[in-house]
Each structure stands twice: as C-alpha cells, then as structure tokens.
Amino acid sequence: MQIWVDADGCPKAIKDILFRVAERTGITTTLVANQYLQTPPSRYIKCVF
C-alpha cells in the first residue's frame, strides 16, 4: 500500500498526522507538490516536485 498526497492543497495539521502514521505503520507516503516542502527524515516519506 502507498499513500499519495496533493501536498499543495493539504493543511499542515493533516500532513503532520500523515507523517506520524507513515512512521508508525511503515506505509510509504509520497507528497506531490510544485514547491519544496520540509519533511521529516524518514525512509517512508518522500516528496516529488
């Protein structure tokens, strides 16, 4: 399973929840954005521009 998120339209509070869930469950979460986003260092979280 993999989660894809439109990070430009997603509120910061929801992104924070997704970061915690990705770490806890080990589900790969990919943020798609048209600008740089600060993401925590994790092997489960990545950002695509």
Side-chain angles (χ1 to χ4, degrees), residues 10-43:
C10 185
K12 183 180 180 338
I14 301 302
K15 284 186 271 192
D16 291 339
I17 292 169
L18 288 170
F19 295 156
R20 289 194 307 265
V21 168
E23 283 297 316
R24 187 175 70 231
T25 62
I27 296 174
T28 302
T29 302
T30 305
L31 304 172
V32 181
N34 60 6
Q35 61 184 350
Y36 175 76
L37 293 175
Q38 182 91 9
T39 58
S42 171
R43 65 183 192 165

